[in-house]
Amino acid sequence: MIRVSVLRAALPFLALSLASAAHAQGSPQTAARATLFQNVRIFDGKGSTLSAPSNVLVKGNIIERIATAPIAAEPGATVIAGNGRTLMPGLIDNHWHAMLIRPNPVQAMGDVGYNNIAAGVEATDTLMRGFTTIRDLGGPTFGLKDAIDQGLIAGPRIYPSGAIITVTSGHGDFRQLTELPRTIGGMLSRMEQVGGSMVADSPDEVRVRVREQLMQGASQIKLTAGGGVSSPFSPIDVSTFTEAELHAAVEAAENWGTYVAVHAFTSAAIQRSIAAGVKCIEHGFLMDEATAKLIADKGVWLSTQPLPEEMRTGLPVGSVQRTKAEEVWPGIARTYELAKKYKIKTAWGTDVLFSQALAQKQGAILASLTRWYSPAEALAMATGTNAELLALSGKRNPYPGKLGVVEQGALADLLLVDGNPLENINLIADPAKNFKVIMKDGKIYKNEN
Ligand SMILES: [Zn+2]
């Protein structure tokens, strides 16, 4: 991406051919490839039961045909004997930070080359856990995304937000007090230089930062509307951006046909965001009934996470972060109860940060949704429903086509599961053992069937 941009600036007359060359590399040989899954029972990403024994033909990167009657295998096609196993859509994590799993917070602001290699290795692991798509809610993922799309490295589809946009002192402002005061238009802090987060303290600054992310390929924009657990100087209760600042971001995003998602815990931060036109609330852990009702009435998305206990207990006792976590964690169960009560459009994600060990539990964190949902409801949330939120990127959707479902004409992101996850959702917690085939964009990345 960066390389192409630089060349484009230097050689404008070559811009078109360079761009199309880069794009062509994104889908190597998909046109010729065919895979036939025989005798599978399908979880389609929406329903609550498995289909009758069926056959599924994938051609190129598309699910071309689904039938209970036999489908003839064409010459050269890969034939997978399902033997009654479950075929389901690839999983989607709608709150992920691809660049912030492997490094610790200090490393995340360190050497960019190291961080990209670490993120690449993690991306391959993510795909091999059955996550064929992630919506990245902050971090410099544009290069990683291009490398994956070009086939340089195996990884999930990435819906990038680019840098988190925050205010001075807000969630995502990881500066130390010694780095104050900030001069507007002055030198960028290290976290801004690496593209992790950008500080913006006026509607004008917000517009600049939003447009910079869009220019780099952001499929949606992420702002932090209130305090967060991991940031050193953002109390949980605070609202950060003004409504005018939030609206500036919404306007800039909508001019590009996409939307703004905000990190927000409290009712005040959520209500202000909705008033400004924000389309997706991340977390929502401290919202009250009236706010839950507002989210439902306005048709706003709630993208929330069943954060595991290890995330809280991993924070040092007595630390600022641990104290804030104690405030937030009791809200998780209540948020899910409110989401159900008011039938809020609810997306699922993990928000794993700075922990490879927790990332390995990505499937287990999804399975933990059964505290509030049936296995079918949980799996539908992480496939068909999550894909509906992805589609909100509109013209900025980097992967136009239908994701998250097994149906004719949809993109072929598929898992063959040894067993029935609607009866035993814990199968998805052990992907190495139970996912026999992993396919993304029609390409087989694992076949141990
Ligand atoms: Zn996050």
Side-chain angles (χ1 to χ4, degrees), residues 78-420:
T78 303
V79 177
I80 294 173
N83 295 322
R85 294 192 177 98
T86 306
L87 189 73
M88 62 173 283
L91 296 167
I92 301 169
D93 189 327
N94 261 351
H95 193 125
W96 190 245
H97 297 278
M99 295 299 295
L100 304 176
I101 304 294
R102 296 283 179 110
N104 63 36
V106 175
Q107 276 169 349
M109 290 190 256
D111 186 84
V112 170
Y114 174 91
N115 286 336
N116 274 290
I117 290 169
V121 175
E122 177 56 40
T124 303
D125 276 7
T126 305
L127 179 62
M128 299 317 282
R129 288 192 292 268
F131 286 85
T132 49
T133 302
I134 61 104
R135 176 170 162 265
D136 198 279
L137 266 286
T141 53
F142 300 116
L144 176 67
K145 176 188 177 294
D146 281 356
I148 292 170
D149 291 347
Q150 290 169 18
L152 298 181
I153 188 167
R157 301 176 192 271
I158 296 180
Y159 282 73
S161 304
I164 296 166
I165 300 168
T166 184
V167 300
T168 290
S169 81
H171 182 50
D173 180 357
F174 291 101
R175 288 175 303 168
Q176 297 304 306
L177 297 177
T178 50
E179 295 175 74
L180 301 183
R182 171 172 185 257
T183 305
I184 291 174
M187 220 181 103
L188 296 175
S189 67
R190 181 61 189 162
M191 64 164 184
E192 292 174 302
Q193 289 169 5
V194 302
S197 55
M198 301 298 291
V199 173
D201 287 310
S202 69
D204 287 341
E205 271 203 297
V206 168
R207 264 186 286 273
V208 172
R209 296 315 182 206
V210 168
R211 288 169 180 163
E212 286 170 348
Q213 308 317 309
L214 293 166
M215 186 175 174
Q216 293 173 85
S219 51
Q220 66 286 319
I221 294 296
K222 161 81 176 293
L223 271 70
T224 58
V229 170
S230 55
S231 307
F233 303 108
S234 75
I236 289 296
D237 60 285
V238 302
S239 300
T240 49
F241 285 110
T242 64
E243 189 177 321
E245 288 164 343
L246 289 165
H247 183 69
V250 167
E251 194 178 24
E254 287 184 353
N255 284 341
W256 271 57
T258 185
Y259 69 97
V260 172
V262 294
H263 162 108
F265 290 157
T266 66
S267 297
I270 295 168
Q271 290 183 19
R272 182 182 294 177
S273 300
I274 292 175
V278 166
K279 293 283 188 329
C280 184
I281 304 296
E282 303 295 321
H283 316 304
F285 295 135
L286 300 177
M287 67 178 170
D288 58 19
E289 292 253 357
T291 306
K293 187 170 183 310
L294 178 74
I295 292 174
D297 289 348
K298 296 280 184 188
V300 167
W301 279 88
L302 176 66
S303 163
T304 195
Q305 307 81 29
L307 302 179
E309 270 297 286
E310 298 107 287
M311 228 183 240
R312 179 181 68 85
T313 55
L315 299 165
V317 177
S319 66
V320 178
Q321 284 87 351
R322 179 65 178 266
T323 309
K324 291 198 277 189
E326 301 300 346
E327 219 180 311
V328 168
W329 249 252
I332 297 169
R334 193 175 144 71
T335 300
Y336 277 106
E337 283 152 18
L338 288 171
K340 286 184 74 174
K341 180 174 174 182
Y342 290 98
K343 299 186 169 52
I344 292 171
K345 289 191 289 191
T346 309
W348 170 84
T350 52
D351 202 13
V352 171
L353 285 167
F354 308 125
S355 173
Q356 184 189 359
L358 258 186
Q360 288 168 339
K361 296 186 178 172
Q362 199 172 9
I365 296 171
L366 171 56
S368 79
L369 274 182
T370 49
R371 288 169 69 189
W372 306 284
Y373 300 96
S374 70
E377 287 171 330
L379 291 173
M381 198 184 284
T383 54
T385 306
N386 267 1
E388 284 176 37
L389 173 53
L390 294 173
L392 214 61
S393 289
K395 289 241 164 70
R396 299 288 81 73
N397 185 344
Y399 310 102
K402 229 170 171 190
L403 285 172
V405 290
V406 181
E407 60 184 49
Q408 288 179 178
L411 292 167
D413 290 7
L414 297 166
L415 308 176
L416 185 68
V417 187
D418 190 13
N420 180 356

